[in-house]
């Protein structure tokens, strides 16, 4: 059984049918650049184009980079402010002609890592962090998701953590892996004090270079790279759309 997942990012809207038995893409991914400005109507057109790229039927899962409660967007820290209070479920359902369920992008990645990836079979508190342009977070306790944690906005060294330790910051400030790894370590230390996790899973594109900065991480909890990397959002969205996981409310 395959279900279509779509992942809305700052630079691209990506989608693919997902084989829910394996968590792998059933077809090659399609990517269309995110429109600028990324207003709800403009993004809905692109989501519809991604969906129309595949000959699938049935529900669609879609991620969004912000707080999503019962399909309604409640924050827009890194996207167009017009998204706030938008019923994304209804918007994308109308645009695609298919039932669409929308959830936070990091929550989708976390669900995917728990079902298929680095956190599979792990009990206790798991924190999945997506390190990219910003920092997304998924908090999972014994397999149950606590949705919309948005822990990238915690304060770190006087600024939002994602302004200090996101992957994009390493490039923007020309930091060495040691310097950036030290910042990530301080961020994880702060999260340890607050949540006492048993496992950190670090995702985003930087996860494939985990060995470049892992020696600079000194946490009590185990820290591992994400297994699904940038595919996790699409996989988690498809998983929710199929009803294999409860939709975060």
């Amino acid at each position: 059984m395959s279900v279509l997942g779509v992942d809305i990012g700052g630079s691209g809207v990506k989608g693919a049918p997902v084989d829910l038995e394996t968590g792998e893409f059933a077809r090659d991914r399609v990517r269309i650049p995110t429109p600028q400005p990324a207003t709800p109507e403009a993004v809905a057109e692109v989501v519809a184009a991604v969906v129309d790229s595949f000959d699938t039927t049935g529900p669609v899962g879609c991620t969004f980079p912000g707080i999503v409660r019962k399909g309604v967007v409640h924050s827009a820290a890194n996207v167009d402010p017009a998204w706030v209070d938008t019923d994304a479920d209804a918007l994308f359902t109308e645009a695609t002609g298919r039932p669409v369920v929308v959830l936070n992008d990091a929550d989708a990645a976390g669900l995917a890592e728990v079902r298929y990836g680095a956190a599979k079979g792990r009990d206790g508190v798991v924190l999945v962090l997506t390190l990219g342009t910003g920092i997304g977070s998924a908090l999972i306790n014994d397999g149950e998701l606590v949705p919309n944690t948005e822990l990238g906005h915690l304060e770190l060294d006087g600024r939002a953590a994602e302004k200090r330790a996101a992957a994009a910051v390493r490039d923007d400030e020309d930091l060495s892996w040691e310097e950036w790894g030290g910042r990530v370590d301080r961020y994880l230390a702060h999260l340890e004090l607050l949540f006492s996790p048993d496992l950190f899973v670090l995702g985003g594109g930087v996860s494939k270079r985990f060995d470049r900065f892992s020696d600079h991480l000194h946490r009590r909890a185990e820290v591992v790279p994400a297994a699904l990397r940038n595919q996790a959002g699409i996989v988690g969205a498809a998983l929710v759309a199929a009803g294999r996981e409860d939709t975060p409310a």
Side-chain angles (χ1 to χ4, degrees):
M1 176 184 180
S2 66
V3 175
L4 187 60
V6 177
D7 187 18
I8 298 173
S11 61
V13 179
K14 306 167 287 291
V18 177
D19 182 336
L20 295 180
E21 296 301 318
T22 64
E24 298 176 350
F25 289 172
R27 294 204 24 211
D28 290 342
R29 186 190 74 168
V30 167
R31 181 187 184 279
I32 298 176
T34 302
Q36 300 299 328
T39 62
E41 293 75 17
V43 172
E45 290 184 9
V46 174
V47 168
V50 170
V51 171
D52 289 343
S53 299
F54 302 98
D55 57 357
T56 61
T57 59
V60 177
C62 186
T63 76
F64 185 81
I67 294 171
V68 182
R69 299 182 64 197
K70 298 182 179 179
V72 177
V73 175
H74 289 277
S75 73
N78 297 309
V79 291
D80 194 290
W83 278 100
V84 176
D85 295 329
T86 295
D87 187 334
D89 276 10
L91 176 69
F92 294 150
T93 294
E94 181 178 1
T96 63
R98 306 255 297 267
V100 179
V101 57
V102 182
L103 72 160
N104 174 268
D105 54 355
D107 285 345
L111 291 172
E113 289 292 337
V114 167
R115 179 58 66 93
Y116 304 107
K120 182 177 181 180
R122 298 294 294 262
D123 295 328
V125 177
V126 176
L127 267 172
V128 179
L129 303 171
T130 56
L131 305 175
T133 304
I135 297 177
S137 61
L139 175 62
I140 299 153
N141 182 40
D142 288 338
E144 296 292 327
L145 174 70
V146 180
N148 294 308
T149 48
E150 293 287 286
L151 299 179
H153 299 295
L154 289 174
E155 183 178 319
L156 179 68
D157 299 336
R159 301 181 66 188
E162 66 180 14
K163 302 299 184 183
R164 295 286 295 165
V169 173
R170 190 185 70 82
D171 294 325
D172 293 343
E173 299 186 18
D174 195 25
L175 301 174
S176 68
W177 286 106
E178 181 178 3
E179 290 170 323
W180 182 72
R183 292 190 185 188
V184 173
D185 190 53
R186 289 200 300 278
Y187 176 51
L188 299 185
H190 189 36
L191 294 176
E192 276 195 324
L193 288 173
L194 295 173
F195 299 103
S196 300
D198 300 285
L199 176 68
F200 286 108
V201 178
L202 303 187
V206 76
S207 60
K208 63 186 176 183
R209 306 180 76 180
F210 183 72
D211 61 337
R212 300 295 299 274
F213 63 93
S214 58
D215 286 346
H216 308 297
L217 306 179
H218 308 288
R219 299 298 95 227
R220 293 188 302 273
E222 184 181 2
V223 185
V224 300
L228 301 179
R229 297 178 181 172
N230 283 336
Q231 297 185 16
I234 293 174
V235 173
L239 194 60
V240 169
R244 296 292 183 93
E245 298 284 355
D246 291 335
T247 303

